[in-house]
Amino acid sequence: MSSVFDYSGLLNEVVQECRKHAERGQLPSYIPELKKADPQMAGVAMMTARGLFEAGDTRQNFTLQSISKVFSLLVALERRGVEVVFAKVGSEPTGDSFNSIVKLETSEQKPLNPMINAGAIAVCSLIPGASVEERFSLISGLLESILDRPIEIDEAVYLSEKETGHRNRALAYFLKDINGLEGDVEEVLDLYFRQCSILVNCADLARIGMFLAAKGINGAGTPIVSANAVRLVSTFMVTCGMYNGSGEFAIQVGIPAKSGISGGILGVVPGQYGLATYGPALDRKGNSVVGISMLRRLSDVLDFSIF
Ligand code: GLU
C-alpha cells in the first residue's frame, strides 16, 4: 500500500458496512455481567507506522477475556522458560470449544494448548510471585509497558466470573489432580479471573497488536519481551486464537489473532500493523460476528494474509 492510503476512509466504510451483521450473533449468557453489553456496538482500529486509525466505537471499554491468554503466556514464557511452560501445556489445536473438559482426561493428561481455558489456567499457575497481587502485577505491568498507562480491571465482571466460573473451577481442580497446576487452585483461578477482567478498548488493542507485529518492541522503541516469545504466541494465535473457528479464520483473514468472549479481537499483521475490532454479538464458536466480517473485508482490500 502506498503511504497515502486512506486508512480512515477504509475503516469508516468497513464499520458502516459490517455493523448490520450484529443481528446474526448473540451476547454470551454464561457470565451475567457480559449480557449488559450493547450488541449494536462496532469499532475497528489499526496501528501503523503512520499512527493510529480508527472508526466506530473504538473508545468503548470492554474486558479482555480470552485475549488475556496472550499476555499471561508471554509472561510465563519469559519468566519460566519454554521448557517449563510446555511441560504443563501442549501445542496442538483442538476441535472442541474453549472451555471443554473432555480432552483433559482422554489425551495426554495436559491441556492441548494455552489458548483454551484449561491451558490458560495451567499457564497462570506458572506465573511467579508471592501473592495473587504480585503475579497479577506481572501481567498488568506488561500491558502498562506496552500502553504506557495504568491498567484497571472491571470489578463487576471479575466478581461475576468468580461467582459463576464453575466450569473453570472444575478444569482447575481436575488439572491439580493430574499434577497440571502449580500452587493453590483458588489463587490461580483468582489470577485467571482478574486477567480476563482487564479493561481495554479497540485503540489499546491495536497498539498491542503493533507491539506484537514489531516482535515485542513498544511504541517508544523499547524491547519488552523476547522476539522468540512473540513468535511462539503469534503461532498459537494462528492455530488456536479464534477457538475452534481458527481454521476458517486462517483461510478467510490469514493473520495471528485472538478473540475474547466480550467481543474483542486482537489482530497482528507481522512487521506491518496491529488491528483490533469490537462487536459484542458472538457467533456459535464465541467469536465476534461483526469483528470477523470487518477483518475479512480488510484482509480482502489490504491483502494482508500471511499465507
Ligand atoms: N473468562 C472467560 C472464561 O474463562 C473467557 C472466555 C473467553 O473469552 O473465551 O470462560
Side-chain angles (χ1 to χ4, degrees):
M1 280 300 135
S2 87
S3 59
V4 292
F5 187 85
D6 179 15
Y7 289 123
S8 297
L10 173 64
L11 297 184
N12 271 308
E13 213 182 285
V14 163
V15 172
Q16 270 173 32
E17 199 183 296
C18 299
R19 198 187 276 277
K20 60 175 183 286
H21 298 313
E23 64 198 31
R24 296 206 313 251
Q26 279 193 334
L27 292 175
S29 54
Y30 79 105
I31 300 173
E33 266 305 301
L34 296 184
K35 267 201 293 196
K36 296 182 181 163
D38 173 359
Q40 297 307 322
M41 289 243 167
V44 58
M46 182 170 183
M47 185 72 189
T48 75
R50 283 167 52 203
L52 181 71
F53 298 89
E54 51 189 315
D57 304 306
T58 53
R59 300 301 163 131
Q60 171 65 38
N61 281 340
F62 54 90
T63 51
L64 276 177
Q65 296 301 328
S66 263
I67 302 172
S68 64
K69 294 168 180 170
V70 166
F71 312 110
S72 43
L73 180 58
L74 281 174
V75 171
L77 286 168
E78 292 292 87
R79 300 278 169 158
R80 303 293 302 274
V82 173
E83 263 179 43
V84 172
V85 171
F86 290 110
K88 289 280 187 246
V89 77
S91 47
E92 295 303 336
T94 154
D96 305 319
S97 66
F98 63 93
N99 55 5
S100 175
I101 203 160
V102 65
K103 292 252 167 62
L104 264 190
E105 199 178 17
T106 57
S107 64
E108 297 172 54
Q109 298 266 306
K110 67 180 178 185
L112 280 176
N113 69 67
M115 296 289 133
I116 50 173
N117 286 12
I121 292 168
V123 166
C124 271
S125 83
L126 300 176
I127 294 183
S131 62
V132 179
E133 285 73 24
E134 215 176 294
R135 293 163 183 218
F136 181 71
S137 73
L138 294 179
I139 300 169
S140 59
L142 168 62
L143 288 164
E144 283 168 0
S145 55
I146 302 170
L147 296 174
D148 194 24
R149 67 159 177 81
I151 290 298
E152 282 171 22
I153 66 167
D154 183 322
E155 209 57 42
V157 172
Y158 162 66
L159 293 173
S160 182
E161 292 210 36
K162 217 174 145 99
E163 207 178 294
T164 60
H166 311 302
R167 185 179 279 256
N168 285 325
R169 211 160 249 117
L171 289 170
Y173 277 97
F174 189 90
L175 282 171
K176 187 72 187 173
D177 184 60
I178 60 173
N179 195 27
L181 186 143
E182 283 188 8
D184 180 80
V185 181
E186 287 300 326
E187 277 185 27
V188 171
L189 283 164
D190 193 21
L191 178 61
Y192 175 74
F193 295 138
R194 280 189 210 208
Q195 72 168 35
C196 288
S197 312
I198 290 174
L199 281 167
V200 291
N201 59 36
C202 269
D204 294 328
L205 271 192
R207 284 201 172 85
I208 295 170
M210 184 65 178
F211 159 81
L212 295 172
K215 297 186 181 169
I217 295 174
N218 74 3
T222 312
I224 307 293
V225 292
S226 69
N228 192 46
V230 173
R231 180 183 66 80
L232 290 170
V233 166
S234 305
T235 311
F236 279 119
M237 289 168 77
V238 170
T239 55
C240 335
M242 302 297 285
Y243 310 115
N244 43 337
S246 298
E248 199 178 345
F249 185 84
I251 287 169
Q252 294 174 338
V253 182
I255 54 168
K258 182 73 201 88
S259 67
I261 205 166
S262 57
I265 302 177
L266 161 69
V268 181
V269 183
Q272 295 191 58
Y273 23 75
L275 291 167
T277 60
Y278 176 57
L282 308 178
D283 64 19
R284 275 184 305 162
K285 292 182 171 161
N287 294 314
S288 165
V289 183
V290 173
I292 290 194
S293 60
M294 292 194 287
L295 289 169
R296 278 184 71 171
R297 184 87 182 87
L298 288 175
S299 182
D300 285 346
V301 176
L302 298 170
D303 194 22
F304 56 50
S305 170
I306 62 170
F307 299 107

